[in-house]
């Protein structure tokens, strides 16, 4: 652990003293952010007998998970899927009395729309698309090569790779250009980057994409449904996890944090409205780019502040369209498309359970398509008028699944970069030079100040599973030092 | 100009109304930041008959220019040089009754310390170092090739380059690896990146380095003294420019801005201490990464907030050592070194004028060496204890200029990334994908909110000259719309 810098004379000691003198109730730990990471940390601390207050900027819990309704069915406006290997999430869902159901994947093919050609792909993991042999060979060698490289990176310390400087000195896009020779091969790898990171290949360090792949098992897991990262959903919506986790915890909504002051005696966290909360430790669970906007006293060390300047959030909009029925299923499609045209380049069937699946659950009579607009496509699309945005999305759905897609009964967009208290999803990506320049201090506490969130997870980074693991890990670190 | 988004209903209209009802004095324009850009804008607006209030977070004006003293001589802790082509700065200095003197460059050679070899280089622009012919040829073709590429970029709109996506999809480091074949050639290009951008080649988009080069004339200008960007200094220190600019302006020191709220009627700027300032327009002149930390009402559009997440400040520490005399001059060195070892990789003679120069001015009997610790070298060096940091710097000075450098009479470090209200120098660099993703809205006002600063300059971006030009340009834009 890095020691608090010598500049504690900068702390507003008087400030801390004043809070104490007015007899404010103190807790062991204040947690900033009531997302899955903050709530998991709070539960772990409380279960160990500690007192915890969670300060949440929004009027709801859940952070980057968020519930919504479309055509009477619950939908996930944010984090959605539980995937293979997400062991803590499955156990948590079970413990909270919730149920999961499989993402629709049966009896239909995935649509590849690359280089102007529509190619169906069988739904099972490892299926081979009917591309021309040269493109297929190119794609296969690219996937194998990237996979080998990813396996050489330790997700706990990507900066320690023997070739770290080289891998972190280039973009993912540079790697794609060098290692993929066909237009379809390159297109596929680019769409893959957008789908997995909600950023363009140009935005990211090659080392970051390797780290992320290693953190999440392998490339095929990341992009797959069956036995992949998009395997299951929660009946009623993933927001139920945060809502149930929050039950019985001291969560203060509408409490955006403006300042965190610490000294040898403790921490005082002050909200924008001026409410003050004293504690022995504080965990900041908001994404790094937002953590950098808090006024810290003493100020953050140079390396920490510069780190928060260098880990932007991705750009993603979720677009939902509801139909009287999931008509694409009858036509032999599973509702999944991967396209290099856009603006929607990736789609999923997120109809509620009970429609043609063996699973029970709410059986709303509705089919719902989810389209992701991501990275550069989202940056352009965001600036269009509402009617153009909607038309562009429905044009994509129509191109993929037929003319019925043009007339939804209901339509909804969720732009996460426009959310004041998120400012981008799914998570942070690291530009070249950042992992090698700052990675070794990413998780380092600063005095009484700790960090948690999906961005800090070693395993399942970027997923709900990673958020929960990071929250619990940080709670454990604090339990070790609390007297 | 982009229109204020429809979400003005989010504005705290009541807030604005309350300020007006208590009869607070209003100004035409509030300027956030009393650096060269903010002060230049303020002067231009006042000279056109407008009322202006400047809010400055620090207890001093000058921003990234800052005065200091070493061994009784004035030194520049921040921005230092006026260079060839900096026409507005020379005119400004003259109008303010200040004088310049040439950077020490005579009667001595520059030291190249690359690949373990020490090579002297004559001081004049265009001189050829005595490297082995293969390295020399490699370096020459690399410089020519980079120069040609830079000339193809329009600094007013780098995103419009026909190959913009390709150039912005890779790092400067990738370009160096592909285009330089010798170790010395690569070393030189890497040191050059650190010296010019205070960032590593891996941190930056190739397109950004081309833009920056085009914005500042050419590569040779950027790195040169005579007829280059480091040509002259201001007698008494460059801080005198800001101090004189501020005379007679309404500048409020110790006033860090916490919130900027705007609606159809006007803008209210609120300091951390709660003081409120009403205006018709506001110019934010703090670096982009700090501008993103202000609480805006309505919140910034998605594209603007994501832009501020993606333009981090560089990493640079200025280290000064004072000696009874500039002993290196007698040994035939001009005090300039370029080395690939570090932590100090670039040095300058910043002795006060009047010592062996034909120029008058304060004739302190002292020699001062300035060493830059930058980019990745700075990130590591920052975390060392004070005595180790100092020893490492003096070891470099000794390696370059001999054992006399080991025993300075005075020593000083200025770490700009540790400054709460700067958080990095010289300026922002753009990682891959940022110019093409967000460049076209970099200078776009948002309703009543405008941007200025060295980062926003088309010409002489990153220099004092660029800061002044950007400030004036933004003032002109506002004068056009103010009724």
């Amino acid at each position: 652990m890095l020691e608090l810098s010598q500049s504690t004379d900068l702390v507003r000691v008087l400030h801390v003293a004043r809070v104490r003198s007015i007899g404010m109730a103190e807790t062991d730990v204040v947690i900033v952010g009531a997302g899955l990471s903050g709530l998991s940390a709070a539960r772990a601390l409380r279960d160990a007998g500690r007192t915890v207050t969670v300060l949440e900027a929004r009027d709801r819990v859940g952070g980057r998970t968020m519930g919504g309704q479309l055509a009477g069915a619950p939908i996930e406006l944010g984090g959605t899927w539980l995937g293979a290997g997400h062991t803590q999430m499955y156990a948590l869902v079970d413990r909270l009395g919730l149920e999961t159901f499989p993402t629709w994947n049966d009896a239909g093919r995935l649509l590849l729309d690359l280089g102007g050609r529509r190619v169906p792909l069988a739904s099972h993991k490892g299926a081979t698309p009917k591309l021309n042999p040269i493109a297929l060979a190119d794609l296969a060698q690219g996937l194998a090569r990237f996979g080998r490289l990813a396996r050489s990176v330790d997700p706990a310390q990507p900066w320690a790779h023997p070739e770290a400087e080289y891998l972190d000195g280039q973009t993912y896009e540079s790697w794609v250009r060098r290692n993929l020779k066909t237009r379809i091969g390159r297109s596929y790898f680019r769409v893959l980057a957008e789908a997995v990171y909600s950023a363009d290949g140009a935005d990211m360090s090659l080392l970051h994409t390797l780290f992320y792949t290693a953190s999440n098992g392998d490339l095929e897991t990341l992009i797959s449904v069956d036995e992949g990262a998009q395997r299951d959903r929660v009946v009623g919506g993933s927001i139920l996890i945060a809502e149930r986790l929050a039950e019985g915890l001291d969560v203060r909504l509408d409490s955006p944090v403006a300042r965190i002051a610490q000294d040898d005696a403790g921490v005082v966290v002050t909200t924008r409205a001026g409410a003050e909360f004293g504690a022995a430790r504080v965990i900041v669970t908001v994404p790094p780019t937002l953590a950098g906007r808090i006024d810290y006293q003493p100020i953050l060390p140079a390396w920490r502040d510069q780190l928060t300047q260098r880990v932007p959030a991705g750009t993603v909009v979720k677009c939902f369209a509801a139909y009287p029925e999931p008509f694409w299923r009858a036509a032999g499609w599973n509702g999944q498309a991967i396209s290099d045209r856009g603006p929607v380049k990736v789609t999923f069937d997120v109809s509620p359970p009970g429609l043609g699946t063996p699973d029970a659950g709410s059986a709303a009579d509705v089919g719902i398509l989810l389209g992701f607009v991501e990275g550069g496509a989202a940056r352009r699309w965001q600036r269009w008028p509402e009617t153009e945005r909607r038309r562009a999305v429905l044009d994509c759905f129509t191109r993929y699944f037929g003319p019925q897609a043009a007339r939804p009964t209901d339509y909804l967009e969720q732009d996460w970069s426009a959310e004041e208290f998120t400012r981008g999803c799914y998570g942070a990506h690291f530009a070249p030079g950042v992992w090698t320049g700052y990675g070794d201090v990413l998780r380092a506490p600063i005095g009484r100040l700790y960090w948690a969130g999906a961005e800090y997870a070693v395993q399942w980074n970027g997923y709900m599973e990673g958020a929960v693991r990071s929250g619990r890990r940080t709670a454990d670190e604090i339990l070790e030092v609390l007297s």
Side-chain angles (χ1 to χ4, degrees), chain A residues 275-294:
Chain A
E276 294 176 328
F277 299 84
R281 295 286 187 285
V282 59
I283 310 177
V284 174
T285 72
V286 300
T289 192
L290 295 186
R293 301 177 188 190
I294 294 171

Side-chain angles (χ1 to χ4, degrees), chain A residues 28-102:
Chain A
D28 290 322
V29 182
V30 163
I31 295 176
V32 181
L36 287 176
S37 192
L39 293 172
S40 298
R43 279 278 186 132
L45 289 162
R46 202 199 52 179
D47 291 351
R50 297 300 176 167
T51 56
V52 184
T53 296
V54 183
L55 301 177
E56 169 55 48
R58 291 184 165 90
D59 60 2
R60 63 168 184 84
V61 299
R64 285 174 273 181
T65 58
M66 184 177 175
Q69 286 264 331
L70 198 73
I75 53 173
E76 278 101 356
L77 298 176
T80 305
W81 291 285
L82 274 66
H86 296 188
T87 53
Q88 301 207 8
M89 278 296 288
Y90 280 103
L92 178 61
V93 161
D94 192 50
R95 197 170 343 124
L96 294 172
L98 297 168
E99 282 175 42
T100 63
F101 67 99

Side-chain angles (χ1 to χ4, degrees), chain A residues 88-345:
Chain A
Q88 301 207 8
M89 278 296 288
Y90 280 103
L92 178 61
V93 161
D94 192 50
R95 197 170 343 124
L96 294 172
L98 297 168
E99 282 175 42
T100 63
F101 67 99
T103 302
W104 174 263
N105 202 33
D106 296 342
R109 298 154 306 167
L110 179 149
L111 172 69
L112 281 176
D113 173 56
L114 299 174
R117 278 198 59 212
R118 291 164 54 93
V119 180
L121 176 60
S123 288
H124 62 90
K125 194 169 172 177
T128 305
K130 290 196 169 58
L131 294 167
N132 78 60
I134 293 170
L136 205 57
D138 187 37
L139 204 47
Q141 66 81 26
L143 289 167
R145 194 179 290 218
F146 189 87
R148 268 198 309 278
L149 211 47
R151 282 192 295 281
S152 75
V153 172
D154 174 1
Q157 43 177 2
W159 58 87
H161 190 284
E163 298 284 321
E165 299 264 337
Y166 173 67
L167 300 172
D168 203 31
Q170 61 186 295
T171 62
Y172 173 87
E173 169 69 15
S174 287
W175 187 90
V176 168
R177 277 185 181 263
R178 217 170 45 247
N179 289 281
L180 280 295
K181 302 302 177 193
T182 63
R183 192 161 67 111
I184 284 185
R186 288 181 179 183
S187 279
Y188 184 82
F189 264 82
R190 287 172 182 145
V191 178
L192 197 130
E194 291 183 43
V196 171
Y197 309 97
S198 51
D200 292 349
D203 302 334
M204 292 177 292
S205 156
L206 172 61
L207 182 61
H208 179 69
T209 61
L210 297 169
F211 149 77
Y212 195 87
T213 303
S215 171
N216 283 284
D218 56 49
L219 207 52
E220 207 171 6
T221 298
L222 269 168
I223 58 174
S224 296
V225 171
D226 290 349
E227 299 313 308
Q230 286 71 235
R231 189 170 64 181
D232 287 310
R233 294 169 58 205
V234 175
V235 176
S238 63
I239 188 59
L240 295 175
I241 303 166
E243 286 175 358
R244 297 208 181 167
L245 270 175
E247 282 170 15
L249 289 173
D250 176 22
V251 180
R252 316 286 175 102
L253 301 178
D254 298 309
S255 302
V257 165
R259 182 189 297 136
I260 297 176
Q262 62 168 315
D263 68 4
D264 293 341
V267 193
V268 175
V269 182
T270 309
T271 66
R272 281 195 193 165
E276 294 176 328
F277 299 84
R281 295 286 187 285
V282 59
I283 310 177
V284 174
T285 72
V286 300
T289 192
L290 295 186
R293 301 177 188 190
I294 294 171
D295 169 21
Y296 297 89
Q297 296 293 340
I299 64 168
L300 294 180
W303 43 265
R304 180 76 212 183
D305 192 277
Q306 289 220 326
L307 168 64
T308 68
Q309 295 178 32
R310 285 160 168 77
V311 280
T315 316
V316 57
V317 185
K318 293 183 80 169
C319 302
F320 299 86
Y323 304 91
E325 55 180 9
F327 61 85
W328 51 91
R329 297 184 186 177
W333 298 110
N334 65 8
Q336 294 162 43
I338 295 177
S339 166
D340 56 5
R341 283 197 278 177
V344 171
K345 298 187 184 169

